[in-house]
Every structure is written in C-alpha cells, then in structure tokens.
Amino acid sequence: MKQVAQNYRKGSVTLEEVPVPACKKGGLLVATEYSAVSMGTEGMKVREGKMSYLGMARARPDQVKKVLATLQQQGVKATYQKVMNRLDSLTPLGYSVSGRVLEVGAGVSDIRVGQRVACGGAGYANHAAINFVPRNLCVPVPEGVESEHAAFATIGAIAMQGYRQSDMQLGEVACVIGLGLIGQLLVQILQAAGVAVIGVDLQEQRLEQGIKRGVLDAFSPDDPDLGVAVSRYTGGRGVDCVFITAGGASNRPIELAAEVARDRARVVDIGKTSLDLDWNEFYDKELDLRFSRSYGPGRYDPNYEERGIDYPAGYVRWTENRNMQSFLELLDRGAIDLKAVIGEAIEFDDAEAIYQTLATNNDALGLVFHHKAQGDLPRNSDRIVWQNDVGQSSGAAEGGKRLGVIGAGNYCSSMLLPALAADARIELAAVATSSGLTSKNAANKFAFERATADYKSLFEAADIGSVLIATRHASHVPMVCAGLEAGKNVYVEKPLAIDREGLLRVSDTVRASGNDRLVVGFNRRHAPLVRRMKELLPQQPMTVHYRVQAGPLEAGSWYLDPEEGGRFIGEAGHFFDTLNFLTGAQPIAVTATAISPEMRTPEDGENITATVEYADGSVGCLMYLTQGSPKVGKEYIEAHGGGASAVMNDFRSLSVFRGSQRTSSKASTVDKGQKRQMSEWVGAVTGGEAMPISLDEVMTATLATLAAAESARSGVRIVLADYLRA
C-alpha cells in the first residue's frame, strides 16, 4: 500500500510503498477514502524538515532539552546514534481521515466491518491507504455527511475544543485572529452557538472568505477600522473572547488580543504563536488566558487513546471522541459548510507534488487527498509483505544464520541493528513491526530482505532460523514461547517476563519443546569496564553495591503502565544479572523496600532498594532510583571482597584498589556492552555454540527481579526457590 512519509535528515516527503499495518486489540483497520491535509501543522513540519540542524534545534527547544539529558546520562556516541536514527527515519504525516472499516480488533463490539468512520490521531490517522486506529479515535459517520467532508472531523474537533474552552454564551461577541482552516471552522461553530464574530487575518482572500462565512466584519491586524468596528459591535466594551488560531513567530496576535478584549475577557490560544505577554495590558484588564489542547480531553492520555478507557460523560462531557462526533453532527445538520473551504479533492498519487509546494505556499485553506478503493484485505499477499531490492533469499534457514527481527523502535534501531547489519556472519531476512512504515524504514536502513506487519509470519518462515524480539514488555512471553516452539534461536530484550506466571510459561515451553536456545538482552555484563572489574576482583564472597539513577519519565510513558509490568520490572533485570555476574554465585533470597505509599507519586513507587543474598555468602544491593539528580551519573558500582575494592562510575571509569595499589581505567566512550553482546550472540547462533548467557542465568536474573518487586509490595523476604513455584 502507499503512505506519505517524511525524512527530517533529508528534508524530503515521499510516497512510499509499505506493508499493511496489523490490526490489534482495541482498534480498527480502516481503508482510507479521504485524508485531510492540515496546512498549519503539516506545513510547519515540512518547513522544519528543510531547516539546518541548528534551525531545527531553534524551532524545537523542547527536543534539545531531551537530547541534552540523554547526552548527560548516556554519552556522546549513544546520544548521536539515537538522534541521527530519529532524524534519518521515515515518519508519518497526517492525522485526520475518513474511510471504511476492513477489520475489527478484539474488544471492539460497536463498530462493524464495512461501516464508514472518521479517524484522528497523529501516528494513527495517517496519509496512508490503510490505517490501524484505536477505537476511541474513531467515530461513525452519519449518512448525510460526505466522506470527503468527514475526513476533516479531527481538524474540526480542534476548533470545537477551542470553542469549549471559551465558555462563550448566546449573544456574546468573539474575535478570531487567524482565518485559516481552523479559524474558518471555528467561525461557523461560534455562529451555530449564537455567537457573533469579528475576523482578523493578513490575507485579503481569507478576509473575504470570512465575510462569506457570515462574520460581522473582517480586517487586517493593523487596519485602524478594526478598533472602530469592535467598539461598534460591542457597545464600546470590547469583545467577550479572543481566539488565536494564527501561527508563526510574531507576537502581534497576542498584542492585538489584549487590545480588542473587554475587561475580564477570555483569550483562547489554539494556534502556535509567540506569547510574550504585556503585563500591564493583561493586568489592567485582568484577562483570562486559556490554552486549547488539540482535540479535547483524552488527547495524549494512553489509557484513553490506546487502551480505550473512556471518561464518563457525567464527569467529562466533551472528550476528543465526542468533539469529533459533535462536529460531524453539525455537518449533518448543515450548520457547517465545508464545500467552499476545501476545494476539489486531489488524487493521493499526486501527494509528493503537493508537499513540494506546501513549505512555501500556504494560501490554500484545506486540501484533501482522495484514495483509491482498497476492497478486501487478503492475507499472505504482497500487500502484507514489502520486498526489498537487496537480493533473493536462499529459501533455507541455514541454522541460525538468517535472522528475523520483531520490533524496530529507537533503542533497537540505534543500539542493536547497526551491530547486526555490520556483521557478515548474519543475514537480515525480515523485520516486522505493527506499523508498515516502521518496518519499511528498518528494512531500508539495515538492508532487510523483506518487511511486514505480521510478526507471526517470522515464526512460520522456513528461511528464518533466529528471531530477535524488541517489542513492548507484555508481548515478550507469548512471542518467546512461539519462537521456541517453532525451533528458532530466540533473543529477547529485557524483561523476559513481567510476572511469575509468564516466567513459568517460558520454563514449561523450554521443557516441552526441547529448545533452550534463548537469551535475554542483559548487556551490562558485556560492558568492557564490568568485564575488567570481574577480572581484577578475587572470586570469593564479596559485597556489591549497584546504584542506578534512572531519572523521571514523561507523564504517560508506557514504561509506567502496570499492564507492561512497570518500570522496575522492565529494567531491573539488567542490574540483577550484573550483580550475579560479578559475584559468580547463585542468588538465594531477596528483600526489598520502596518509598512509603503515603509519600509517593506513582513513579516514586518504582524507587526500590533490594538486597540479594547469595549461596557463597556474598551480598548484593541494588538501589533503583527515579528521584535523584542526573548530575551524579546514571550507574555506579562499588564492590568489596578479599582485600580488594572496585568502583565503576557510569561506564566511564574504573578504579580497583588492592592494598596500597590502585589500577585505573578510563573509557573514551560510554560502552554498555550492546555491540559485544550482539557479536557473541551471532557467534552462538551461527556456530552452534553455547549462548553468551546461560538459560539458568537468564531465568535467575528475571526471578530475582520479580521477587524484588513482590518483596517491595509485601515487605517480606522472599526465598527464590520457594517463590517460583509458590
């Protein structure tokens, strides 16, 4: 199928052939009929893509802060790899479409195959022939609404949410600054609510269109008649509310808002513009500045958008889904007219030419692409698999030489796949992600032979002997078990399992299948400084302290989702495995504590300190922290035993003390062992050698992680042998 994709590094927008996305639980697979082009949002992205790296940094200071934080914790090399991987990737454009349902995911009962729907959401409602969209981002289209117009439901919901933030009442007067697409839709919504409107824009054509839409009058920002008109229409008071739907770096919109507003008026910001407030103006009038966030409540909340958990109407009347519905109902009743706003539909095959002009030409209000009918969705066809032009498969698995990869997120693409692509011993046969564009992107960058959104096909493929799994945590156990049952060599990123039942399922699958070719991505033990520490320390009972300053995550991060195991279970296996590796002993019990529930936020609950007892008398202590300062570095290991001590600081330096002697090592780059880990695993699967980490070690580190989380909850010391089969 075809999809529009942008590459920030190249500054290009192209029409790509990509695999059809997978239909997942809680969502719909939708064949697109029309997709709306947002001149403001997409035009901004296209312009940013043509900037220099310095220009991009100036345009997105929020992203610069994230890069600097990563640089401080992970070093120059890892940060550079991650940033360049993001820039040199195919990213989707579009967020507002209409189409017909091809397939309904599990858990969706109120939408049927063949039904017309309008869909929203960046990353979901893309300019693509077929999209997977979560249920709460889809609304049925009324019979009286044309599909071409329904494609604007998400954009209409943005205007609708701006109106709801204003609390305007029948008979009031509003001023809309910016008569682009959002502004023109907002004008009609306000009129439907009985609000009179004065329009402001720089372009004469848009002023004329505003007049046609029924505004009282329309002016350029510096027209002296604007103030006269505001006084005339409001009895000298000033407007009751000002909506800023303009974009750009100018501060004039917010200055003008303060000028035309009445005493104690509201100012609602919908567009992205400069907001350098004049304190005197806003203080003297006691103006109420409000922001309107996208389509409405639910936006950016993964529980609402991804997991389908709705807000009860009695508590949140207008969610983003209900705003989309409301906009379509206004269209159905004729209260909103889109015909003069969007013009004639453009064939989707001509999308590249349209985007070439979008960066410089923003005269048009609304554009819409028309997509060819998709018909049925056959399985196992070239619509599901995209074939790369990198040579033909031999058709045989050849032991473990031919690799399939499931999941190609930023970590996998920046830290694992570069090492695999450079290793001549392995052949990259196929890559599967739930998004067709993501799998195509990985196939292009790392020369996979084929790309697909159907990960199960990799387990079924006769030409694939090894599988690497780098997906979200809750999916690991079923995928690992499927790979083992299919006789594959399996590498899975941590964690192996997010609960005890999952770990038992893996253990039982190994036993039933007779396949123990499994390893987990515990890369810290492969780091050069950790290896050097083990070499220099005496192999006898020791005490090891491992402090991890993980730092806070953004609100809503899936890492904090209990259904994905939570953050501690997702990451701590790394550190327990390193403790096990350094002591060289068998862990027998774990005792852990977390910050008191009365004193913590949800993420504070991931602050866990765990003590591990070993069979040889060694003791390990893991402090996993999310509250401390990043200035201390992310990871610190201190080990003592047999008259020797060692300190490893953030994979940058190592000091070993024995008596009065000190041995020091410094690393030129932060190396956490990923490259060596990949090399050793490739050697194991292509040469039939033992896995770089034994199955017993993999299971033990995972068991210790789960036991620590349970001990932190219960306050009870947990004996590992008893816990697994309890």
Side-chain angles (χ1 to χ4, degrees):
M1 71 169 199
K2 291 183 178 180
Q3 179 169 355
V4 169
Q6 182 179 21
N7 183 298
Y8 269 88
R9 187 176 186 182
K10 298 176 181 176
S12 62
V13 177
T14 53
L15 197 57
E16 300 281 339
E17 282 288 344
V18 303
V20 171
C23 186
K24 297 180 288 186
K25 177 182 177 181
L28 310 167
L29 212 58
V30 178
T32 307
E33 294 181 337
Y34 293 91
S35 60
V37 180
S38 170
M39 304 299 291
T41 301
E42 294 183 58
M44 178 184 66
K45 287 186 176 182
V46 173
R47 288 189 291 275
E48 286 179 355
K50 295 183 180 298
M51 294 177 180
S52 64
Y53 291 156
L54 179 59
M56 290 181 186
R58 287 173 174 167
R60 295 297 306 273
D62 56 323
Q63 296 299 318
V64 173
K65 289 182 181 178
K66 293 180 182 179
V67 171
L68 292 176
T70 303
L71 181 66
Q72 191 168 43
Q73 285 204 337
Q74 301 184 21
V76 175
K77 184 177 179 180
T79 302
Y80 176 80
Q81 288 173 328
K82 288 187 176 182
V83 170
M84 297 313 295
N85 178 63
R86 285 191 181 276
L87 290 176
D88 194 19
S89 296
L90 297 175
T91 58
L93 287 175
Y95 62 87
S96 189
V97 309
S98 66
R100 291 189 180 274
V101 177
L102 288 175
E103 192 173 329
V104 177
V108 178
S109 59
D110 59 339
I111 298 287
R112 66 182 187 279
V113 171
Q115 190 170 355
R116 284 196 308 151
V117 290
C119 310
Y124 291 116
N126 308 309
H127 294 302
I130 298 173
N131 286 298
F132 168 78
V133 188
R135 171 63 186 89
N136 274 351
L137 290 173
C138 298
V139 294
V141 177
E143 277 192 29
V145 176
E146 298 177 25
S147 294
E148 183 177 355
H149 296 166
F152 287 83
T154 311
I155 298 174
I158 296 173
M160 187 72 72
Q161 175 62 12
Y163 160 71
R164 300 201 190 285
Q165 286 293 87
S166 71
D167 292 327
M168 294 208 75
Q169 299 181 35
L170 180 69
E172 290 190 317
V173 179
C175 177
V176 176
I177 301 176
L179 295 177
L181 177 57
I182 299 288
Q184 297 285 344
L185 297 178
L186 178 60
V187 164
Q188 297 185 65
I189 291 170
L190 289 167
Q191 289 175 329
V195 175
V197 184
I198 298 169
V200 177
D201 200 279
L202 290 169
Q203 296 184 29
E204 184 65 31
Q205 179 185 2
R206 293 183 177 182
L207 297 177
E208 293 174 359
Q209 288 174 323
I211 296 294
K212 291 178 180 177
R213 300 279 79 73
V215 300
L216 295 174
D217 214 335
F219 304 89
S220 66
D222 297 315
D223 190 330
D225 291 336
L226 172 59
V228 175
V230 168
S231 181
R232 182 172 69 253
Y233 291 123
T234 65
R237 292 183 300 273
V239 299
D240 300 289
C241 183
V242 182
F243 296 88
I244 300 176
T245 57
S250 172
N251 202 54
R252 182 57 181 147
I254 193 65
E255 294 169 357
L256 182 60
E259 292 171 14
V260 301
R262 66 163 167 81
D263 187 61
R264 293 178 175 81
R266 287 91 66 199
V267 178
V268 179
D269 181 54
I270 303 174
K272 185 177 181 181
T273 185
S274 177
L275 292 175
D276 185 5
L277 306 184
D278 185 307
W279 186 88
N280 288 325
E281 287 272 11
F282 274 74
Y283 175 82
D284 289 345
K285 289 186 176 180
E286 199 174 340
L287 298 178
D288 182 0
L289 176 60
R290 305 177 181 184
F291 287 85
S292 178
R293 189 170 68 180
S294 200
Y295 330 142
R299 188 69 181 119
Y300 311 117
D301 178 357
N303 284 318
Y304 180 90
E305 293 190 331
E306 297 177 13
R307 301 179 193 102
I309 302 174
D310 199 3
Y311 304 149
Y315 292 89
V316 182
R317 177 62 184 93
W318 295 108
T319 61
E320 58 182 314
N321 184 283
R322 292 193 272 270
N323 274 336
M324 292 169 68
Q325 291 180 37
S326 180
F327 181 78
L328 291 178
E329 288 166 2
L330 289 177
L331 278 174
D332 194 30
R333 296 203 302 266
I336 293 178
D337 179 14
L338 281 174
K339 292 179 181 178
V341 176
I342 63 176
E344 189 173 345
I346 300 164
E347 291 302 317
F348 188 48
D349 288 344
D350 297 328
E352 283 188 17
I354 295 299
Y355 280 100
Q356 287 175 3
T357 64
L358 195 58
T360 56
N361 179 14
N362 60 354
D363 290 341
L365 284 176
L367 300 177
V368 62
F369 292 129
H370 174 245
H371 297 249
K372 296 177 181 177
Q374 296 300 310
D376 296 328
L377 185 65
R379 298 285 109 185
N380 302 319
S381 72
D382 57 6
R383 293 178 65 186
I384 309 303
V385 179
W386 177 80
Q387 201 74 33
N388 203 353
D389 187 20
V390 293
Q392 295 299 312
S393 163
S394 63
E398 299 183 46
K401 183 178 181 180
R402 292 180 55 74
L403 174 66
V405 173
I406 304 174
N410 199 36
Y411 176 80
C412 182
S413 295
S414 60
M415 306 306 294
L416 306 183
L417 290 181
L420 291 169
D423 196 326
R425 297 172 296 171
I426 200 88
E427 293 179 8
L428 302 184
V431 58
T433 72
S434 59
S435 161
L437 184 61
T438 306
S439 58
K440 163 74 176 290
N441 180 66
N444 275 344
K445 291 175 69 173
F446 301 107
F448 282 91
E449 293 173 6
R450 60 186 186 270
T452 180
D454 181 14
Y455 76 87
K456 294 179 181 178
S457 65
L458 273 61
F459 298 131
E460 300 165 356
D463 70 325
I464 291 177
S466 300
V467 176
L468 183 150
I469 300 167
T471 54
R472 288 193 178 186
H473 301 162
S475 65
H476 288 182
V477 166
M479 289 185 179
V480 165
C481 292
L484 293 173
E485 289 167 347
K488 314 295 186 185
N489 298 293
V490 178
Y491 172 102
V492 61
E493 261 307 313
K494 48 79 190 164
L496 172 59
I498 63 173
D499 52 35
R500 185 172 51 185
E501 292 72 24
L503 188 60
L504 284 170
R505 180 179 170 186
V506 172
S507 178
D508 292 342
T509 301
V510 168
R511 188 179 302 107
S513 66
N515 181 7
D516 63 355
R517 303 289 286 171
L518 168 65
V519 74
V520 178
F522 296 144
N523 55 275
R524 277 13 178 221
R525 67 160 59 205
H526 299 283
L529 292 186
V530 173
R531 290 282 178 102
R532 182 65 173 157
M533 177 183 278
K534 184 174 178 66
E535 290 171 3
L536 295 176
L537 285 171
Q539 291 305 298
Q540 52 185 289
M542 64 176 68
T543 300
V544 185
H545 169 70
Y546 199 149
R547 187 260 299 145
V548 180
Q549 168 48 34
L553 292 174
E554 291 184 1
S557 170
W558 68 267
Y559 259 85
L560 297 173
D561 182 3
E563 292 186 9
E564 296 290 345
R567 189 179 186 185
F568 179 80
I569 286 177
E571 292 190 345
H574 272 317
F575 317 122
F576 284 112
D577 177 70
T578 305
L579 291 174
N580 298 347
F581 174 72
L582 289 173
T583 61
Q586 183 72 19
I588 57 174
V590 175
T591 305
T593 56
I595 291 179
S596 170
E598 293 79 17
M599 302 174 62
R600 71 190 189 204
T601 66
E603 188 171 1
D604 290 337
E606 302 289 334
N607 282 265
I608 292 178
T609 299
T611 301
V612 186
E613 304 166 40
Y614 289 89
D616 71 343
S618 293
V619 176
C621 176
L622 170 65
M623 292 179 64
Y624 184 83
L625 311 171
T626 63
Q627 292 182 321
S629 168
K631 296 291 185 181
V632 301
K634 184 178 179 183
E635 298 179 40
Y636 172 91
I637 304 175
E638 188 175 304
H640 306 271
S645 298
V647 176
M648 193 279 292
N649 191 16
D650 216 16
F651 303 93
R652 301 173 191 270
S653 65
L654 170 66
S655 296
V656 179
F657 305 86
R658 192 185 301 273
S660 61
Q661 295 184 335
R662 172 179 175 175
T663 303
S664 298
S665 304
K666 286 193 174 182
S668 57
T669 60
V670 174
D671 186 345
K672 297 183 182 179
Q674 288 96 342
K675 186 175 181 179
R676 182 169 184 170
Q677 170 188 250
M678 287 291 96
S679 179
E680 292 188 10
W681 182 65
V682 169
V685 301
T686 58
E689 303 166 5
M691 290 292 182
I693 310 177
S694 71
L695 182 61
D696 180 64
E697 290 174 301
V698 162
M699 301 291 281
T700 300
T702 305
L703 181 60
T705 305
L706 299 174
E710 176 61 30
S711 178
R713 285 191 293 267
S714 65
V716 175
R717 173 179 177 269
I718 294 180
V719 177
L720 299 186
D722 297 337
Y723 178 66
L724 182 60
R725 294 287 176 178

